[in-house]
Amino acid sequence: MRYLAAACLALLSLTPAATAQSRAAFDVMESRGDLLGWEAVGRLDLPNGFCTGALIGRDLVLTAAHCVFDPVTGEPYPARGMTFRAGYHHGSAITERRVDRWAVPERYSELAADGTSSSGSAVATDVALLRLAQPVSSAEADPFRVHEMPAPGTRVSVVSYGRGREEVLSRQPDCEITRRYREDVLGFDCDVTFGSSGAPVFVREDNRLRILSVISSGNARGESYGPSLPALVSELRQRLNREDARPKVTTGARRITVGGGSREGIGARFIKP
């Protein structure tokens, strides 16, 4: 299970025919009208590239943890360098917000620091929760809810800004859960590429779409992986809500501590502008 960035050579080796076939499997939302109901999915623009994210609260965006770390240096991005563009479409967005701060599981931070962020343990914790500087109104976008882990074989869909279609939102409407790994990682037969990182994996419940997972990694064989969300999202939401856990960042944002203590015993890392 390698991260999308690590799958570069395999993805670049796709033939034109395979690329065309992959694109044909997506519903590309070419018009503004196609975005109806999907306004809460947006492009997360970063200092070095972009990912996909989705609102799960008026001021909370869900994405992958590896999106908030520089893939070259491994350093965490400052929150002020990130912008969430809900319903992004050919250079404009339904609304956009600066990121105020973010949190990822401490286990993921430890693995990233050790250089083992491509391990199965990292995929299981590859979740980030971003707090926006200002909330998004209900007139602009309605957040999605998070769903519990269903059984293998459940049909899912992925909505993302992928390479080659980064200016428009696109949806792979029909893929499925292929298997579980250790009860906290899901495998899908969804076709993903660069920019799909952090994309919401949707399942339909009572005719409503819920977010089951986020895209963490994938390969050229059309396989992708993502973590189970409920416990991680609950942990990160609590962290962001604790005013006494606001971060102290040293010069250059190279070392992050919570409440002035050591790294031991903290459940998430944060960046504050």
Side-chain angles (χ1 to χ4, degrees):
M1 294 186 287
R2 296 184 178 184
Y3 284 109
L4 297 177
C8 177
L9 294 178
L11 288 167
L12 290 177
S13 68
L14 291 174
T15 64
T19 302
Q21 183 178 13
S22 174
R23 184 176 177 83
F26 290 88
D27 292 337
V28 180
M29 302 180 193
E30 295 288 3
S31 71
R32 274 291 183 190
D34 294 335
L35 290 173
L36 185 63
W38 302 106
E39 298 90 345
V41 182
R43 202 173 82 173
L44 179 64
D45 285 354
L46 307 163
N48 186 10
F50 65 93
C51 281
T52 303
L55 287 166
I56 61 168
R58 295 293 174 202
D59 62 348
L60 293 175
V61 172
L62 182 69
T63 190
H66 72 266
C67 290
V68 299
F69 289 85
D70 189 310
V72 177
T73 66
E75 296 291 336
Y77 287 133
R80 62 180 175 271
M82 305 182 212
T83 302
F84 177 68
R85 295 184 164 93
Y88 178 84
H89 185 84
H90 289 295
S92 64
I94 293 172
T95 189
E96 60 182 62
R97 299 287 190 277
R98 291 271 302 274
V99 176
D100 179 64
R101 52 190 172 125
W102 55 253
V104 300
E106 177 64 12
R107 180 57 177 158
Y108 183 88
S109 296
E110 292 171 351
L111 292 168
D114 292 341
T116 56
S117 58
S118 61
S119 67
S121 295
V123 174
T125 56
D126 193 5
V127 177
L129 200 58
L130 286 56
R131 171 147 293 160
L132 303 178
Q134 296 88 29
V136 174
S137 72
S138 58
E140 294 168 321
D142 283 325
F144 292 101
R145 293 179 59 184
V146 172
H147 192 274
E148 298 286 344
M149 186 182 295
T154 298
R155 309 304 297 180
V156 297
S157 60
V158 176
V159 181
S160 70
Y161 293 90
R163 186 181 59 183
R165 41 190 167 80
E166 57 268 18
E167 293 297 314
V168 294
L169 195 61
S170 59
R171 176 175 178 248
Q172 186 176 5
D174 190 26
C175 45
E176 68 177 42
I177 302 170
T178 55
R179 61 180 296 183
R180 294 184 187 181
Y181 301 86
R182 309 178 327 161
E183 296 300 319
D184 53 7
V185 174
L186 293 169
F188 311 103
D189 62 358
C190 306
D191 187 8
V192 299
T193 185
F194 300 101
S196 299
S197 292
V201 180
F202 287 102
V203 63
R204 190 172 291 276
E205 178 189 49
D206 297 329
N207 210 34
R208 292 181 179 273
L209 289 169
R210 307 289 189 229
I211 299 178
L212 172 66
S213 185
V214 295
I215 294 297
S216 169
S217 59
N219 58 41
R221 298 189 300 275
E223 301 166 336
S224 54
Y225 309 94
S228 175
L229 294 178
L232 292 173
V233 169
S234 177
E235 170 197 342
L236 298 181
R237 194 190 295 262
Q238 289 175 29
R239 278 281 173 180
L240 286 173
N241 285 338
R242 285 180 51 187
E243 290 299 322
D244 62 341
R246 294 181 72 84
K248 295 181 180 179
V249 184
T250 61
T251 302
R254 289 184 174 273
R255 187 71 67 176
I256 306 166
T257 60
V258 177
S262 68
R263 290 183 61 213
E264 268 100 68
I266 61 175
R269 281 189 173 186
F270 299 84
I271 291 289
K272 178 186 175 183

